[in-house]
Amino acid sequence: MGTLKPPTLLTRTHILKAPLLHCAFNPQLLTLFNRRITLSFTISCKLRTSQDVKKKKDNVSKKIVFSDSLPPPLKNDEASGEVASNSGVIGLVKRLPRRVLAALSNLPLAIGEMAAIAALMALGTAIEQGEAPDFYFQKYPEDNPVFGFFTWRWILTLGFDHMFSSPIFLGLLVMMGLSLMACTYTTQIPLVKVARRWSFLHSAEAIRKQEFSDTLPRASIQDLGVILMGAGYEVFLKGPCLYAFKGLVGRFAPIGVHLAMLLIMAGGTLSATGSFRGSVTVPQGLNFVVGDVLGPNGFLSTPTDAFSTEVHVNKFYMDYYDSGEVKQFHSDLSLFDIGGKEVMRKTISVNDPLRYGGITIYQTDWSFSALQVLKNDEGPFNLAMAPLKVNGDKKLFGTFLPLGDVNSSNVNGISMLARDLQSIVIYDQEGKFAGVRRPNSKLPIDIDGTKIVIVDAIGSTGLDLKTDPGVPIVYAGFGALMLTTCISFLSHTQIWALQDGTSVIIGGKTNRAKAEFPDDMNRLLDRVPELVESSLSKQSDGISG
C-alpha cells in the first residue's frame, strides 16, 4: 500500500485556534471491474478545538465513498426533460404527445382550471341543489333574472341544479387531473432523476457561481467530508473533488402532493357519480326498507346487498334545555336482514350516525306524528298532528278533536297545539284557552262536559341516508396531502468542493430556506480544522509508518 502524502504547504504558516484533526485510514475493500476502481474507506476522526481542553468530544465514525470512476452520464431527457426528435412522419408522431403534455402542464392553464373549479364550487353552494324544476322556475324567473341575465334556464341547461355531478364540473376535474399528471411527468419526475445522480464540479469558477461560495485557505477536503457527514449529508469524493447532498426526500414531495390531489379529485368524482342519497320521516314504531329511500346520484351508482335491510324505529325521544328548548333528539333503530334477523341496533343522535354495510344513517330532523287521547274514558284515539306555518324557525303542530255529530256541516271540537313532545296546549270549542297537559301525566281536563286525557305524544324521526364510496379515497388523499406538504418544506441541499493545493473551494445551493442557508454553511465551515505544519508532519509520519 502506497504512502499518502500531505498537500504542499505555503511559504508562511498561519496557526489559528482551529480544530486539529487526527485521522486513521483503514482500507476495507478494493474492487476491480472493467477498469473501474471503487475504494471504500472508513475514517474515524476526533475533532479537537480549544474548548476540547476542558470538554471531551465523542468520536465520529462515518463512511465516505471514494470513486475513480465517473458518475453515470445523464440522459438528455432526464437532464432537460426533452427528447431529441426524429425527422419525418415518425418524428411528428413522437413530437405530438410532447406538445400535448407541454400544453397540459402549462402553469397558467392549471391556475385557470383551479380558479374555474373554485368558482363552480362557490356557485354550487349558492344555488340550491337537487330541487324540483318548479322550485327553480319560481326562485329564478325569467321576468326577474339574477344579475340581469341569470335565470332557471342557465341552471337546468348547464346542470347547475346538480353542480358536482354536472358535465362541466366533472370535465374541469378531468382537465385538472390531466394537468397534474402532465406536470408530474414532464417536470417533477425529471427533476427527481437529476437530483438523485451525484456529479462533481472540476472547475473553481463553476463552484463559485453557486448560491453560496467560500474558500478555506488551509483545509483538507477529507476533513470537510467528515464534517458534512456529521451534519447528515451523503458525501462522495473523487480525487480533489467532493459532492454532498441531503434532503433528497423533499424532491419527491411535489410528486406526492400531485398524487394526493389526484386522489382527492378521484374520490370527489366517485362520490358525485357513484353515491346514493335519500331522506325519510318515520313515526315511532314503524319500519322502512333502505332501498326504498335511497336514490342514485350518478351513472356509477350501484346498489349493494345492504339495500334490502329493513330499519325499525323502536323509540324516538328528545332532550330539552332548562328553558324548554329542544337540545338533542335520539332514535333507537334496529336493522333486520332479508331473513328477518336483527343484525344491528343503535341509538343515534345528531353527529352520532349509524353505519352498516357502507350505508350511513344520520339523525337530522324530527316531527310530531300523532297524539293519543282518551275521550270520556274511551279510546285511545290517535289524532294526526299537522305542521302549521309560523314566523321564524320554531315548529308548531296542531290537531282537532271533533265533538258532537262528525257528519254535520258545522262541526265543533277541541283544538290542541304543541311545539314539542313535552306539553300540549288545549283550547275549547270557542277557541279559548282551556289548559296545558303533559303526555303520560294521566291528568284529565274537563272541557264543555267532555273529559280529555293526553295519553302519549308520538314523534317521528327525520333520517338522512347515504352511501358514498368516495369518502375513504378523499380521506386518504387529504392525509397524503398533509404529509407530503410537510415533507415538501425539507430543503434539498447540494454542496460541491474542490481541493486546490492547500485551499478548499466550497459552493452550494438549496431549494428551501435560502435566507438561512449561508448561516448554516458558515457554521459548518467554522468546524473544519485548519492544516498546520505540526499536525501535517505527525499525520504524514503516522500514515508512512
Side-chain angles (χ1 to χ4, degrees):
M1 182 173 64
T3 302
L4 299 177
K5 296 182 180 181
T8 306
L9 298 179
L10 297 177
T11 306
R12 293 183 298 173
T13 302
H14 300 275
I15 302 178
L16 302 176
K17 293 182 179 180
L20 300 180
L21 178 65
H22 295 272
C23 301
F25 291 81
N26 181 21
Q28 293 179 342
L29 179 64
L30 181 64
T31 303
L32 297 176
F33 182 72
N34 291 337
R35 297 183 180 181
R36 296 174 62 182
I37 303 174
T38 301
L39 182 59
S40 177
F41 288 96
T42 298
I43 304 178
S44 297
C45 306
K46 184 176 182 181
L47 301 178
R48 294 188 301 177
T49 64
S50 59
Q51 298 176 350
D52 292 337
V53 179
K54 299 180 181 180
K55 297 181 181 180
K56 294 184 177 180
K57 300 289 184 179
D58 294 331
N59 288 341
V60 179
S61 181
K62 294 287 183 177
K63 185 176 182 181
I64 303 180
V65 177
F66 292 85
S67 176
D68 284 342
S69 62
L70 293 176
L74 291 177
K75 298 180 181 179
N76 292 335
D77 58 339
E78 294 178 354
S80 60
E82 298 179 356
V83 179
S85 60
N86 299 325
S87 59
V89 179
I90 297 179
L92 179 61
V93 173
K94 288 185 176 181
R95 287 196 298 270
L96 181 60
R98 281 289 179 178
R99 291 179 179 177
V100 174
L101 290 175
L104 289 174
S105 60
N106 184 266
L107 181 59
L109 176 62
I111 294 175
E113 292 167 348
M114 295 181 66
I117 292 173
L120 289 180
M121 292 176 66
L123 190 60
T125 304
I127 299 175
E128 295 81 0
Q129 299 291 296
E131 300 290 344
D134 291 339
F135 174 84
Y136 300 104
F137 295 158
Q138 299 176 5
K139 188 70 178 291
Y140 304 94
E142 291 185 316
D143 56 354
N144 187 22
V146 180
F147 302 120
F149 69 94
F150 194 77
T151 65
W152 60 267
R153 292 186 182 274
W154 287 84
I155 298 175
L156 299 182
T157 303
L158 299 178
F160 288 172
D161 56 330
H162 49 280
M163 174 67 76
F164 304 104
S165 60
S166 64
I168 295 178
F169 188 80
L170 295 179
L172 280 173
L173 287 183
V174 172
M175 285 295 297
M176 186 66 197
L178 292 176
S179 294
L180 286 173
M181 289 187 288
C183 178
T184 302
Y185 178 75
T186 60
T187 303
Q188 299 301 332
I189 292 179
L191 286 177
V192 170
K193 288 182 178 180
V194 172
R196 290 182 61 188
R197 295 184 179 274
W198 48 276
S199 60
F200 298 103
L201 295 181
H202 301 275
S203 169
E205 294 182 0
I207 295 177
R208 291 191 177 98
K209 290 180 180 179
Q210 302 301 319
E211 297 175 2
F212 172 88
S213 64
D214 199 356
T215 302
L216 299 178
R218 290 182 171 275
S220 170
I221 200 169
Q222 287 84 2
D223 299 345
L224 175 62
V226 173
I227 298 297
L228 292 176
M229 283 190 299
Y233 285 82
E234 295 287 336
V235 180
F236 301 90
L237 282 173
K238 179 179 178 294
C241 301
L242 175 145
Y243 171 70
F245 71 90
K246 72 173 182 178
L248 183 60
V249 66
R251 285 293 189 182
F252 288 90
I255 299 177
V257 170
H258 288 183
L259 294 178
M261 294 179 65
L262 289 173
L263 277 178
I264 294 172
M265 290 189 293
T269 302
L270 184 59
S271 296
T273 60
S275 61
F276 288 83
R277 297 180 186 275
S279 300
V280 63
T281 301
V282 187
Q284 176 179 301
L286 297 185
N287 302 352
F288 69 92
V289 178
V290 170
D292 295 339
V293 176
L294 290 173
N297 269 9
F299 59 92
L300 295 179
S301 300
T302 304
T304 63
D305 294 339
F307 278 46
S308 61
T309 303
E310 186 176 14
V311 182
H312 178 72
V313 182
N314 300 308
K315 185 179 180 181
F316 174 76
Y317 60 96
M318 296 190 292
D319 300 330
Y320 302 92
Y321 291 103
D322 295 337
S323 61
E325 298 291 333
V326 176
K327 179 180 180 181
Q328 179 67 280
F329 31 99
H330 311 264
S331 297
D332 181 9
L333 305 179
S334 291
L335 275 61
F336 298 89
D337 60 15
I338 195 171
K341 179 182 178 181
E342 185 179 52
V343 294
M344 186 177 183
R345 181 170 182 172
K346 181 181 179 180
T347 299
I348 67 173
S349 58
V350 178
N351 297 326
D352 184 18
L354 180 149
R355 292 182 173 87
Y356 173 77
I359 300 172
T360 306
I361 303 178
Y362 297 92
Q363 179 75 72
T364 57
D365 201 2
W366 68 275
S367 184
F368 206 140
S369 177
L371 190 65
Q372 283 188 347
V373 299
L374 291 175
K375 175 185 175 184
N376 294 326
D377 296 329
E378 296 180 358
F381 301 99
N382 289 334
L383 305 178
M385 298 291 286
L388 304 177
K389 291 184 178 181
V390 295
N391 294 329
D393 297 332
K394 294 184 178 180
K395 296 184 177 184
L396 180 65
F397 302 88
T399 189
F400 181 76
L401 177 63
L403 298 177
D405 186 7
V406 296
N407 296 321
S408 174
S409 59
N410 187 16
V411 179
N412 295 324
I414 301 171
S415 300
M416 304 179 192
L417 300 177
R419 289 191 178 277
D420 49 46
L421 304 180
Q422 61 181 345
S423 60
I424 310 299
V425 182
I426 305 173
Y427 297 87
D428 61 15
Q429 299 182 59
E430 297 180 358
K432 296 180 180 180
F433 174 76
V436 178
R437 291 295 183 269
R438 287 183 176 274
N440 300 314
S441 65
K442 298 181 180 181
L443 182 63
I445 182 172
D446 188 274
I447 303 175
D448 299 329
T450 302
K451 186 174 71 172
I452 303 297
V453 177
I454 306 298
V455 179
D456 194 11
I458 302 174
S460 297
T461 178
L463 304 174
D464 276 4
L465 288 77
K466 77 170 186 178
T467 64
D468 196 341
V471 168
I473 302 176
V474 172
Y475 283 173
F478 273 107
L481 182 62
M482 290 186 290
L483 178 61
T484 52
T485 300
C486 294
I487 294 176
S488 67
F489 285 100
L490 298 177
S491 300
H492 177 232
T493 305
Q494 297 173 283
I495 297 176
W496 293 268
L498 179 66
Q499 184 82 57
D500 185 10
T502 58
S503 299
V504 176
I505 305 168
I506 303 105
K509 65 178 182 179
T510 184
N511 65 333
R512 295 282 190 274
K514 294 181 178 292
E516 294 81 7
F517 180 58
D519 295 335
D520 294 339
M521 285 298 301
N522 287 326
R523 281 192 291 268
L524 288 175
L525 298 183
D526 289 342
R527 296 169 53 192
V528 178
E530 183 184 11
L531 297 179
V532 294
E533 289 187 7
S534 58
S535 63
L536 283 174
S537 59
K538 292 180 181 180
Q539 182 179 355
S540 177
D541 294 340
I543 295 175
S544 300

